Amino acid sequence: MYRYTEFDKQFIKLRAAQFRDQLERHLAGTLSDDDFRPLRLQNGWYIQRHAPMARIAIPYGELNSAQLRRLARIAREYDRGYGHFTTRQNIQFNWIPLHRAADVMEELAEVDMHGIQTSGNCIRNITSDAFAGIAPDEVVDPRPYCEILRQWSTLHPEFAFLPRKFKIAVTGAKEDRAALAWHDIGLHLVRNEAGDVGFKVLVGGGMGRTPITATVVREFLPWEQILVYIEAIVRVYNRYGRRDNIYKARIKILVKAEGPRFIDDVEEEFRAILERDVDGAAHLLTQDELDRVAQHFDVPAGVRYDAANDSLAVDVGEAPVAFRRWLERNVHAHRFPGYRAVTLSLKRVGQAPGDVTAEQMEAAADLAERFSAGEIRVTHDQNLVLPWVRESELYALWQAARAASFATPNVGLLTDMIACPGGDFCALANARSIPIAAAITERFQDLDELYDIGDIDVHMSGCMNSCGHHHSGHIGILGVDKDGSEWYQITLGGSDGSTPSGAAVAGKVIGPSFAADEVPDVIEAVIEIYREQRAAHERFIDTVKRLGLEPFKAAANAVRRTTGGKAMAA
């Protein structure tokens, strides 16, 4: 993990002190709401439906146990005892009183954390593959590049007030586990035929009201040029992006409207930075700079291959069925012989997807220290990963994870759904997500049934802002408002761009919206069509592609009762 330098520590402590001054002036009435709003937003503070919401950055998803314990303390002492992990590798707290916001900033600074640029029209938290540095299919470890991007973009004076928020994702594996095509910039580390490292650069992806997948603008960009090239992209966006219409302000709209002209403008700006900007070429990365950052991502002390670790401590054939299922679903291959990565599932009955209590955070920190060199990762799918688990300790970890309610063997299955907090908290939401997620989870509790259904991505958002990534779900659920009532639009066939799901694409709507009490029946009806019509070993997403939407649409409409003919005529 990256270890903060004295400069880094001083930087965020000064930022916390600056925010305290701003907050005190605001509370005293000398700094207006309008003037305070952009200041609190760029430090991660929203005003939500019921209370302020704090969004804390977890850069490229990496945490240590001390940081997780501090988040637990914040949840217990400042909030209502829990937090919420998001699809962008952040954590959110929904009940912290505004007058205590500066105290929280100082608490975070003590463990090298902050909320800087987790909101506002700026470059947001850099996200990555939760298995970075440990995945067997990894070509290049993306974390040093993520950290360089984080340092470069933090409080960048030219990009502090962009037309709209800006999100960057990076991966270095053959498999895309970072949903690159759904980001403003997606960076895929690759090697060319000569073995040189570079980036495949995608620009203009995004969800929201107009879902668009990103365009490839460079198949191979030498790694040394990445900061200059991103600067060129963001400069062109800053110059030409729409500022008159919030719904058309994202870079995806500019890329779609301009097409090849956008790429030409970026290439011209790129050349201009290198050839005409004062010291423009000084922003090219050097091997020394990459090495300076990369040294922080060495293998943790004590992690080494040992033949004694290269086997389970129990006979799998004699082990409990629950353990065998956990091995199948929650335990992942590792690039180091004798080690595995393990997902701690945060999807369970009685808690919203991604939610975690203070006690659970402390339990996860304990597991990280005992089994994973004190390190833990936050995933794009709102779960946690222990990246450095000895194979010989898997059974002991399973027992400890079960006791802490983290061992549900459902990773990648229907109940491992993504969901935003929705209308229970968010001021922008049109409908609630949490009760729908709870109803679906309750409906599909039979593990035998879940395993028979197999791999499936269910994503749910409470509004068109798409924080739950509903567009990329094999089954997507979108909360909409109709005359003050909560309705839900269902889409099928979406993909995040991972190999099992196929190329990134937005799902298609299967008909008029459904009432809240119909949604679990709709999901069940859609699933039953799949189970009846699938070919041998065929995944849900592949059956949808083969059959088309009509059989699923007919089954969904057949279970209408609340909406009925009125909805069908809408």
Side-chain angles (χ1 to χ4, degrees):
M1 286 186 62
Y2 181 74
R3 298 173 296 280
Y4 268 32
T5 65
E6 285 306 312
F7 173 85
D8 296 321
K9 293 176 183 292
Q10 186 69 4
F11 176 86
I12 60 170
K13 286 179 180 178
L14 289 173
R15 182 71 169 185
Q18 180 190 57
F19 181 73
R20 179 175 290 282
D21 174 69
Q22 294 163 349
L23 177 62
E24 289 176 351
R25 286 189 286 129
H26 172 66
L27 295 175
T30 60
L31 187 64
S32 70
D33 285 343
D34 288 342
D35 289 334
F36 182 59
R37 183 175 183 274
L39 301 176
R40 64 170 169 78
L41 284 175
Q42 288 208 0
N43 284 290
W45 291 91
Y46 289 77
I47 301 300
Q48 293 289 73
R49 188 177 297 273
H50 304 295
M53 184 269 280
R55 180 180 292 147
I56 311 306
I58 304 172
Y60 38 95
E62 288 201 334
L63 281 169
N64 61 44
S65 56
Q67 291 171 327
L68 190 54
R69 284 203 172 88
R70 182 57 56 95
L71 294 175
R73 172 173 158 174
I74 290 170
R76 181 179 291 111
E77 297 187 7
Y78 297 87
D79 201 273
R80 293 188 176 180
Y82 67 98
H84 174 79
F85 288 110
T86 77
T87 56
R88 298 213 75 254
Q89 297 178 313
N90 297 305
I91 187 170
Q92 295 177 176
F93 295 104
N94 289 296
W95 297 100
I96 298 175
L98 187 60
H99 72 272
R100 303 195 73 187
D103 298 333
V104 171
M105 293 272 288
E106 291 172 353
E107 291 264 11
L108 292 167
E110 289 179 0
V111 291
D112 303 340
M113 298 187 75
H114 58 78
I116 299 170
Q117 292 182 200
T118 57
S119 180
N121 294 336
C122 54
I123 297 174
R124 300 282 186 90
N125 185 40
I126 309 296
T127 60
S128 188
D129 179 2
F131 297 97
I134 60 172
D137 68 329
E138 189 167 84
V139 177
V140 182
D141 188 344
R143 295 173 299 167
Y145 299 94
C146 290
E147 179 57 30
I148 289 170
L149 284 169
R150 184 193 72 82
Q151 294 182 20
W152 170 81
S153 63
T154 300
L155 302 190
H156 193 304
E158 191 175 355
F159 306 138
F161 296 97
L162 296 170
R164 198 70 172 87
K165 58 188 176 182
F166 203 90
K167 302 175 180 180
I168 300 175
V170 191
T171 189
K174 294 178 182 178
E175 176 65 78
D176 180 3
R177 289 178 287 266
L180 296 183
W182 289 110
H183 284 77
D184 297 284
I185 293 179
L187 301 175
H188 197 167
L189 279 155
V190 294
R191 290 185 184 272
N192 63 15
E193 292 181 356
D196 301 319
V197 173
F199 289 91
K200 181 178 181 179
V201 182
L202 298 85
V203 179
M207 296 192 185
R209 293 175 182 270
T210 309
I212 299 173
T213 54
T215 298
V216 176
V217 297
R218 274 287 191 106
E219 286 289 347
F220 185 86
L221 178 80
W223 66 268
E224 297 91 342
Q225 300 175 2
I226 190 60
L227 292 186
V228 179
Y229 201 77
I230 292 177
E231 181 149 358
I233 293 169
V234 185
R235 278 190 181 183
V236 171
Y237 171 53
N238 209 15
R239 186 181 305 142
Y240 298 117
R242 296 280 298 267
R243 296 180 187 270
D244 61 329
N245 186 330
I246 192 173
Y247 303 116
K248 296 182 179 181
R250 296 291 294 273
I251 194 174
K252 64 184 180 181
I253 303 298
L254 180 64
V255 173
K256 183 177 182 180
E258 295 298 315
R261 287 184 298 180
F262 173 85
I263 300 174
D264 292 343
D265 286 348
V266 168
E267 294 293 340
E268 176 57 33
E269 186 67 35
F270 176 62
R271 287 190 294 271
I273 293 171
L274 292 177
E275 297 171 7
R276 298 200 297 270
D277 275 21
V278 176
D279 290 332
H283 292 168
L284 293 171
L285 286 175
T286 64
Q287 188 65 53
D288 285 346
E289 175 62 7
L290 180 61
D291 291 345
R292 178 189 71 83
V293 176
Q295 67 179 335
H296 292 270
F297 299 98
D298 287 341
V299 176
V303 173
R304 63 189 184 282
Y305 175 67
D306 183 338
N309 299 330
D310 199 11
S311 61
L312 291 170
V314 297
D315 182 343
V316 175
E318 299 296 324
V321 172
F323 175 65
R324 298 201 299 270
R325 281 177 162 168
W326 181 78
L327 285 177
E328 177 187 347
R329 280 285 158 186
N330 296 40
V331 178
H332 317 280
H334 204 287
R335 72 184 180 96
F336 276 72
Y339 284 82
R340 295 290 184 268
V342 175
T343 296
L344 303 180
S345 176
L346 299 183
K347 316 299 172 57
R348 61 185 73 82
V349 173
Q351 274 185 246
D355 276 9
V356 59
T357 67
E359 292 74 21
Q360 289 165 340
M361 283 188 251
E362 289 169 339
D366 289 342
L367 294 177
E369 287 181 342
R370 182 179 170 190
F371 297 102
S372 185
E375 186 181 331
I376 200 161
R377 309 274 181 89
V378 179
T379 78
H380 163 73
D381 296 321
Q382 297 176 290
N383 288 316
L384 299 175
V385 165
L386 299 178
W388 302 103
V389 180
R390 296 182 183 221
E391 191 169 318
S392 59
E393 295 184 336
L394 284 172
Y395 191 76
L397 170 58
W398 172 70
Q399 291 176 311
R402 272 187 100 188
S405 73
F406 289 132
T408 306
N410 66 341
V411 172
L413 300 178
L414 192 151
T415 55
D416 185 23
M417 69 186 79
I418 288 175
C420 70
D424 285 299
F425 299 101
C426 181
L428 301 176
N430 296 317
R432 292 173 295 169
S433 301
I434 294 173
I436 304 299
I440 294 171
T441 300
E442 289 281 0
R443 179 72 61 92
F444 291 93
Q445 273 303 291
D446 187 307
L447 280 173
D448 290 331
E449 181 182 23
L450 284 176
Y451 275 68
D452 179 65
I453 295 167
D455 294 291
I456 185 168
D457 295 338
V458 178
H459 299 173
M460 179 164 41
S461 302
C463 74
M464 284 302 298
N465 284 288
S466 311
C467 294
H469 292 199
H470 64 278
H471 290 299
S472 66
H474 300 163
I475 298 176
I477 305 170
L478 168 65
V480 296
D481 175 81
K482 292 185 179 182
D483 301 322
S485 299
E486 295 178 321
W487 291 48
Y488 296 85
Q489 187 181 85
I490 308 298
T491 56
L492 295 181
S495 169
D496 58 7
S498 60
T499 298
S501 299
V505 65
K508 295 181 179 180
V509 179
I510 63 170
S513 300
F514 296 87
D517 64 339
E518 294 172 333
V519 174
D521 293 334
V522 170
I523 303 304
E524 186 170 0
V526 165
I527 293 297
E528 284 308 306
I529 291 296
Y530 159 64
R531 296 174 80 178
E532 292 168 6
Q533 300 292 326
R534 64 188 171 186
H537 309 297
E538 189 174 45
R539 297 171 185 260
F540 175 84
I541 185 64
D542 296 318
T543 303
V544 171
K545 291 175 182 177
R546 178 172 58 82
L547 294 180
L549 298 185
E550 287 306 315
F552 300 96
K553 182 177 180 179
N557 285 327
V559 299
R560 290 184 185 274
R561 54 182 181 278
T562 304
T563 51
K566 180 180 178 181
M568 293 297 293

